[in-house]
Amino acid sequence: MKTIAFILSFACVSSATFALDVKPGAEKPSPIGYSDTPIIPGTKWKVHDIDRPRPEPVAPGEKPGAPPSDAIVIFDGTNSDALQAKEKDAKGKETGKIIPCPWPIDSGVMMITGGDCWTKQEFASCQLHLEWMSEPNTKGNSQKKGNAGVFFMDRYESQMLDCDNNPTYADGMTGGVYGQTPPLVNAVRPAGQWQVYDIIFTAPKLENGKVVEPAYITTFVNGICVQNHTKIMGPTKHKQITDYSGEFPEKAPIRIQDHKNEPPVRIRNIWIRPL
């Protein structure tokens, strides 16, 4: 009898873990978790574990492309305070002095002209949103037409380029990991229309400053996936191969490249979520 009483008592306590007070005739609520399921391999949590912490809520932007509530806004059309530049002398050599971002702002849009700029804040793995546009009458062709780029950790470039009726090498097209991996498709809109970048960058894993697992990137151009967890082979370079030789930082600024376009590439609505 004692054994039966203990079993009944335990069943009542266990069921209280996921059942709510139900009035007679009312529909029984669905369980909000369990404590009698197997442990998920490689974790300390059971399947549907009632004690597993739930993710904190994040409010999405009010409209598509708008920053969510936990985003770090780099440029919202009002000022460039989140960016900075490196001073150069008359010969174009860096002086070592950090200066404010020189890029002009007009009607909520920033023009990339006056040299590269870096985020003041450092990032590792992150989600980035950026919108840009090149003018239809931009001078030049191939890599000299509507060219810019986003360098994660100041090393790994996701290319920005006018790829509408502008032939160039495959690993230099918009959405490409520059000099390494072409985009899956050419997803750009015609010049004169806004292009949208949404990128998930996974920073390399380090041990004592040495890379033990490479960086990866997933890239969407105008809502189209053009890189799917693509391995980055090392810092991106022009006309050279690369690797992870040397030491690397845990975090670094994101750089936006000025490729001296005439007229300049325009950017807007830049935000980042550290991951």
Side-chain angles (χ1 to χ4, degrees):
M1 291 295 292
K2 289 183 178 179
T3 302
I4 294 174
F6 173 78
I7 292 172
L8 290 172
S9 174
F10 177 80
C12 290
V13 171
S14 178
S15 64
T17 303
F18 56 87
L20 303 175
D21 215 10
V22 182
K23 295 180 180 180
E27 184 178 351
K28 185 178 179 180
S30 179
I32 62 170
Y34 298 86
S35 58
D36 58 353
T37 50
I39 293 177
I40 301 170
T43 78
K44 64 178 182 179
W45 305 110
K46 299 174 182 177
V47 177
H48 315 314
D49 201 326
I50 193 169
D51 295 321
R52 192 170 190 173
R54 297 172 179 82
E56 293 295 323
V58 172
E62 294 183 0
K63 59 183 180 179
S69 60
D70 65 344
I72 297 170
V73 176
I74 303 301
F75 179 63
D76 64 359
T78 59
N79 64 73
S80 57
D81 293 349
L83 297 169
Q84 59 189 10
K86 298 179 180 180
E87 184 183 64
K88 293 183 179 181
D89 60 21
K91 295 182 179 180
K93 185 178 180 180
E94 293 181 1
T95 65
K97 181 180 178 181
I98 299 298
I99 59 174
C101 171
W103 298 345
I105 300 172
D106 182 18
S107 302
V109 174
M110 188 155 52
M111 273 65 76
I112 301 179
T113 180
D116 295 358
C117 282
W118 290 255
T119 58
K120 291 180 179 178
Q121 190 166 339
E122 295 184 338
F123 299 94
S125 297
C126 64
Q127 173 186 351
L128 176 138
H129 178 93
L130 180 149
E131 300 170 18
W132 89 95
M133 179 177 67
S134 61
E135 296 291 341
N137 60 342
T138 301
K139 295 179 181 180
N141 72 297
S142 185
Q143 295 292 306
K144 292 186 177 181
K145 186 179 183 184
N147 190 335
V150 177
F151 287 75
F152 292 91
M153 301 186 75
D154 200 18
R155 289 164 172 78
Y156 315 104
E157 182 184 10
S158 185
Q159 174 72 313
M160 297 157 59
L161 187 74
D162 177 0
C163 291
D164 176 49
N165 196 27
N166 180 35
T168 191
Y169 41 85
D171 57 20
M173 294 175 65
T174 288
V177 181
Y178 187 76
Q180 298 180 25
T181 307
L184 295 171
V185 295
N186 181 5
V188 300
R189 297 185 173 107
Q193 297 183 27
W194 285 98
Q195 318 286 347
V196 180
Y197 247 164
D198 286 292
I199 300 174
I200 305 297
F201 171 76
T202 303
K205 292 184 179 180
L206 309 178
E207 288 183 5
N208 300 318
K210 303 291 185 180
V211 173
V212 295
E213 187 173 327
Y216 291 87
I217 193 167
T218 296
T219 304
F220 290 83
V221 176
N222 299 322
I224 299 171
C225 183
V226 298
Q227 299 288 348
N228 183 14
H229 195 60
T230 301
K231 181 174 73 173
I232 300 177
M233 303 172 191
T236 52
K237 299 179 180 181
H238 179 55
K239 299 174 68 174
Q240 299 179 53
I241 58 173
T242 187
D243 58 30
Y244 285 102
S245 300
E247 295 191 359
F248 290 77
E250 294 282 350
K251 295 182 178 182
I254 291 175
R255 172 163 51 109
I256 302 176
Q257 181 188 50
D258 174 15
H259 210 272
K260 313 301 182 187
N261 298 276
E262 295 183 33
V265 170
R266 301 172 179 233
I267 53 175
R268 69 181 186 186
N269 192 23
I270 306 171
W271 50 264
I272 300 170
R273 296 181 63 244
L275 300 175

